[in-house]
Coordinates of all heavy atoms in Angstrom, one line a residue:
G117 N 19.0 13.5 12.1 CA 18.2 14.5 12.9 C 16.8 13.9 13.2 O 16.0 14.7 13.7
G118 N 16.6 12.7 12.8 CA 15.3 12.0 13.1 C 14.2 12.2 12.1 O 13.1 11.8 12.4
R119 N 14.4 12.8 11.0 CA 13.4 13.0 10.0 C 13.1 11.7 9.3 O 14.0 11.0 9.0 CB 13.8 14.1 9.0 CG 12.7 14.5 8.0 CD 13.1 15.6 7.1 NE 14.1 15.3 6.2 CZ 13.9 14.7 5.0 NH1 12.7 14.4 4.6 NH2 14.9 14.4 4.2
V120 N 11.8 11.4 9.2 CA 11.4 10.2 8.4 C 10.4 10.6 7.3 O 9.6 11.5 7.6 CB 10.7 9.2 9.4 CG1 10.2 8.0 8.6 CG2 11.7 8.8 10.5
H121 N 10.6 10.0 6.1 CA 9.6 10.3 5.1 C 9.3 9.1 4.3 O 10.1 8.2 4.2 CB 10.1 11.5 4.2 CG 11.0 11.0 3.1 ND1 12.3 10.8 3.3 CD2 10.7 10.7 1.8 CE1 12.9 10.4 2.2 NE2 11.9 10.3 1.3
A122 N 8.1 9.1 3.7 CA 7.7 8.0 2.9 C 7.3 8.5 1.5 O 6.9 9.7 1.4 CB 6.5 7.3 3.5
G123 N 7.6 7.7 0.6 CA 7.3 8.1 -0.8 C 7.4 7.0 -1.8 O 7.7 5.8 -1.3
P124 N 7.3 7.2 -3.1 CA 7.5 6.2 -4.0 C 8.9 5.5 -3.9 O 9.8 6.1 -3.4 CB 7.4 6.9 -5.4 CG 6.7 8.2 -5.1 CD 7.0 8.5 -3.7
R125 N 9.0 4.3 -4.3 CA 10.2 3.6 -4.2 C 11.4 4.5 -4.6 O 11.3 5.2 -5.7 CB 10.3 2.3 -5.1 CG 9.3 1.3 -4.7 CD 9.9 0.5 -3.6 NE 8.9 -0.6 -3.2 CZ 9.1 -1.4 -2.3 NH1 10.2 -1.4 -1.6 NH2 8.2 -2.3 -2.0
A126 N 12.4 4.5 -3.8 CA 13.6 5.5 -4.1 C 14.3 5.0 -5.4 O 14.4 3.8 -5.7 CB 14.6 5.4 -3.0
S127 N 14.6 6.0 -6.2 CA 15.3 5.7 -7.4 C 16.8 5.4 -7.0 O 17.2 5.7 -6.0 CB 15.3 6.8 -8.4 OG 16.0 7.9 -7.9
V128 N 17.5 4.8 -8.0 CA 18.9 4.5 -7.7 C 19.7 5.8 -7.4 O 20.8 5.7 -6.8 CB 19.6 3.8 -8.8 CG1 19.1 2.4 -8.9 CG2 19.5 4.5 -10.2
H129 N 19.2 7.0 -7.8 CA 19.9 8.2 -7.5 C 19.7 8.8 -6.1 O 20.4 9.6 -5.7 CB 19.5 9.2 -8.6 CG 19.8 8.8 -10.0 ND1 21.1 8.5 -10.4 CD2 19.0 8.4 -11.0 CE1 21.0 8.1 -11.7 NE2 19.8 8.0 -12.0
E130 N 18.7 8.3 -5.4 CA 18.3 8.7 -4.1 C 19.1 7.8 -3.1 O 18.6 6.8 -2.9 CB 16.8 8.7 -3.8 CG 16.1 9.9 -4.5 CD 14.6 9.8 -4.1 OE1 14.4 10.0 -2.8 OE2 13.7 9.6 -4.9
R131 N 20.2 8.3 -2.6 CA 21.0 7.5 -1.8 C 21.2 8.1 -0.4 O 22.1 7.7 0.3 CB 22.4 7.2 -2.4 CG 22.3 6.5 -3.7 CD 22.0 5.0 -3.5 NE 22.1 4.3 -4.8 CZ 21.9 3.0 -4.9 NH1 21.5 2.3 -3.8 NH2 22.0 2.4 -6.0
D132 N 20.5 9.1 0.0 CA 20.7 9.9 1.2 C 19.9 9.2 2.4 O 18.7 9.0 2.2 CB 20.2 11.3 1.0 CG 20.3 12.1 2.4 OD1 21.4 11.9 3.0 OD2 19.4 12.8 2.7
G133 N 20.6 8.8 3.4 CA 19.9 8.2 4.6 C 19.6 6.7 4.4 O 19.9 6.1 3.4
W134 N 19.1 6.2 5.5 CA 18.7 4.8 5.6 C 17.5 4.6 4.9 O 16.6 5.5 4.8 CB 18.6 4.4 7.0 CG 19.9 4.3 7.8 CD1 20.7 5.3 8.2 CD2 20.6 3.1 8.0 NE1 21.8 4.8 8.8 CE2 21.8 3.4 8.6 CE3 20.4 1.7 7.7 CZ2 22.8 2.5 9.1 CZ3 21.4 0.8 8.2 CH2 22.5 1.2 8.8
R135 N 17.2 3.4 4.3 CA 16.0 3.0 3.7 C 15.4 1.8 4.3 O 16.1 0.8 4.5 CB 16.2 2.7 2.2 CG 16.7 3.9 1.3 CD 15.4 4.8 1.0 NE 15.8 5.9 0.3 CZ 15.9 7.1 0.8 NH1 15.6 7.4 2.0 NH2 16.3 8.2 0.0
L136 N 14.1 1.8 4.5 CA 13.3 0.6 4.9 C 12.4 0.3 3.6 O 11.7 1.1 3.1 CB 12.4 1.0 6.0 CG 11.6 -0.2 6.6 CD1 11.4 0.0 8.1 CD2 10.2 -0.3 5.9
T137 N 12.5 -0.9 3.1 CA 11.8 -1.4 2.0 C 11.2 -2.8 2.3 O 11.9 -3.6 2.8 CB 12.8 -1.5 0.8 OG1 13.5 -0.3 0.6 CG2 12.0 -1.8 -0.5
A138 N 10.0 -2.9 1.9 CA 9.3 -4.2 2.0 C 8.8 -4.6 0.6 O 8.5 -3.7 -0.2 CB 8.1 -4.1 3.0
F139 N 8.8 -5.9 0.3 CA 8.4 -6.3 -1.0 C 7.9 -7.8 -1.0 O 8.3 -8.6 -0.1 CB 9.6 -6.2 -2.0 CG 10.8 -6.8 -1.6 CD1 11.2 -8.0 -2.1 CD2 11.8 -6.1 -0.8 CE1 12.4 -8.6 -1.7 CE2 13.0 -6.6 -0.5 CZ 13.3 -7.9 -0.9
H140 N 7.0 -8.0 -1.9 CA 6.5 -9.3 -2.1 C 7.5 -10.0 -3.1 O 7.8 -9.4 -4.1 CB 5.1 -9.3 -2.8 CG 4.0 -8.6 -2.1 ND1 3.5 -9.0 -0.9 CD2 3.4 -7.4 -2.4 CE1 2.6 -8.2 -0.5 NE2 2.5 -7.2 -1.4
A141 N 7.8 -11.2 -2.9 CA 8.7 -12.0 -3.7 C 8.0 -13.3 -4.1 O 7.8 -14.1 -3.2 CB 10.1 -12.2 -3.1
K142 N 7.7 -13.6 -5.3 CA 7.1 -14.8 -5.7 C 8.1 -15.7 -6.3 O 7.9 -17.0 -6.2 CB 6.0 -14.5 -6.8 CG 4.8 -13.7 -6.2 CD 3.7 -13.5 -7.2 CE 2.6 -12.7 -6.6 NZ 1.6 -12.2 -7.6
T143 N 9.1 -15.2 -7.0 CA 10.1 -16.1 -7.6 C 11.5 -15.6 -7.3 O 11.7 -14.4 -6.8 CB 10.0 -16.1 -9.1 OG1 10.4 -14.8 -9.6 CG2 8.6 -16.4 -9.6
D144 N 12.6 -16.4 -7.5 CA 13.9 -15.9 -7.2 C 14.3 -14.7 -8.0 O 15.1 -13.9 -7.6 CB 14.9 -17.1 -7.5 CG 14.9 -18.1 -6.4 OD1 14.5 -17.8 -5.3 OD2 15.4 -19.2 -6.7
A145 N 13.6 -14.5 -9.2 CA 14.0 -13.3 -10.0 C 13.5 -12.1 -9.3 O 14.2 -11.0 -9.4 CB 13.2 -13.4 -11.3
D146 N 12.5 -12.1 -8.4 CA 12.1 -11.0 -7.6 C 13.1 -10.5 -6.6 O 13.0 -9.4 -6.1 CB 10.8 -11.2 -6.9 CG 9.6 -11.5 -7.9 OD1 9.6 -10.9 -9.0 OD2 8.7 -12.2 -7.5
V147 N 14.0 -11.4 -6.2 CA 15.1 -11.0 -5.3 C 16.5 -11.1 -5.9 O 17.5 -11.2 -5.2 CB 15.0 -11.9 -4.0 CG1 13.8 -11.7 -3.2 CG2 15.2 -13.4 -4.4
H148 N 16.5 -10.9 -7.2 CA 17.8 -11.0 -8.0 C 18.7 -12.1 -7.4 O 19.9 -11.8 -7.1 CB 18.4 -9.6 -8.2 CG 18.7 -8.9 -6.9 ND1 19.8 -9.2 -6.1 CD2 18.1 -7.9 -6.3 CE1 19.8 -8.4 -5.1 NE2 18.8 -7.5 -5.2
A149 N 18.2 -13.3 -7.3 CA 19.0 -14.4 -6.7 C 20.2 -14.7 -7.6 O 21.2 -15.4 -7.1 CB 18.1 -15.7 -6.6
D150 N 20.2 -14.3 -8.8 CA 21.4 -14.5 -9.7 C 22.5 -13.5 -9.6 O 23.5 -13.5 -10.3 CB 20.9 -14.7 -11.2 CG 20.3 -13.4 -11.7 OD1 19.9 -12.5 -10.8 OD2 20.2 -13.2 -12.9
H151 N 22.3 -12.6 -8.6 CA 23.3 -11.6 -8.3 C 23.8 -11.5 -6.8 O 23.0 -11.8 -6.0 CB 22.8 -10.2 -8.6 CG 22.7 -9.8 -10.1 ND1 21.8 -10.4 -10.9 CD2 23.5 -9.1 -10.8 CE1 22.0 -9.9 -12.1 NE2 23.1 -9.1 -12.1
W152 N 25.0 -11.2 -6.6 CA 25.5 -10.9 -5.3 C 25.3 -9.4 -5.1 O 25.3 -8.6 -6.0 CB 27.0 -11.2 -5.1 CG 27.3 -12.7 -5.1 CD1 27.8 -13.3 -6.2 CD2 27.1 -13.6 -4.1 NE1 27.9 -14.7 -5.9 CE2 27.6 -14.8 -4.6 CE3 26.6 -13.5 -2.8 CZ2 27.5 -16.0 -3.8 CZ3 26.5 -14.6 -2.1 CH2 27.0 -15.9 -2.5
E153 N 25.0 -9.0 -3.8 CA 24.8 -7.6 -3.5 C 25.7 -7.3 -2.3 O 25.9 -8.1 -1.4 CB 23.3 -7.4 -3.0 CG 23.0 -6.0 -2.6 CD 21.5 -5.9 -2.3 OE1 21.0 -6.8 -1.5 OE2 20.9 -5.0 -2.8
V154 N 26.2 -6.0 -2.2 CA 27.0 -5.6 -1.0 C 26.6 -4.2 -0.7 O 26.3 -3.4 -1.5 CB 28.5 -5.8 -1.3 CG1 29.0 -4.8 -2.4 CG2 29.4 -5.7 -0.1
H155 N 26.7 -3.9 0.6 CA 26.5 -2.5 1.1 C 27.7 -2.1 2.0 O 27.9 -2.5 3.1 CB 25.3 -2.5 2.0 CG 24.0 -3.1 1.4 ND1 23.4 -2.5 0.4 CD2 23.4 -4.2 1.6 CE1 22.4 -3.2 0.0 NE2 22.3 -4.3 0.7
P156 N 28.7 -1.4 1.3 CA 30.0 -1.1 2.0 C 29.9 -0.1 3.1 O 30.7 0.0 3.9 CB 30.8 -0.6 0.8 CG 29.9 0.0 -0.2 CD 28.6 -0.9 -0.1
E157 N 28.8 0.7 3.1 CA 28.7 1.8 4.1 C 28.0 1.4 5.4 O 28.1 2.1 6.4 CB 27.9 2.9 3.5 CG 28.4 3.5 2.3 CD 29.7 4.4 2.6 OE1 29.7 5.0 3.6 OE2 30.6 4.5 1.7
A158 N 27.3 0.3 5.5 CA 26.6 -0.1 6.7 C 26.1 -1.5 6.6 O 26.1 -2.2 5.6 CB 25.4 0.8 6.9
E159 N 25.7 -2.1 7.8 CA 25.1 -3.4 7.9 C 23.7 -3.3 7.3 O 23.2 -2.2 7.0 CB 25.0 -3.8 9.3 CG 26.4 -4.0 9.9 CD 26.4 -4.3 11.4 OE1 25.5 -3.8 12.1 OE2 27.4 -5.0 11.9

């Protein structure tokens, strides 16, 4: 419906809608380089 909201980083329980997230990464640990990640619902 076009609603956009901003707030504190979404918790793992908040999974409704698309998320835009920006972050500073200084080391590989900041991007969990030791893990694979997948999003089955969307690109």
Side-chain angles (χ1 to χ4, degrees):
R119 189 173 68 83
V120 176
H121 83 278
R125 295 278 180 182
S127 73
V128 290
H129 303 294
E130 286 187 60
R131 299 283 189 185
D132 178 42
W134 288 79
R135 292 282 179 255
L136 181 150
T137 308
F139 51 97
H140 302 290
K142 293 180 182 175
T143 70
D144 282 341
D146 295 331
V147 292
H148 56 77
D150 62 340
H151 282 76
W152 291 104
E153 177 179 50
V154 67
H155 309 287
E157 299 286 329
E159 296 173 329

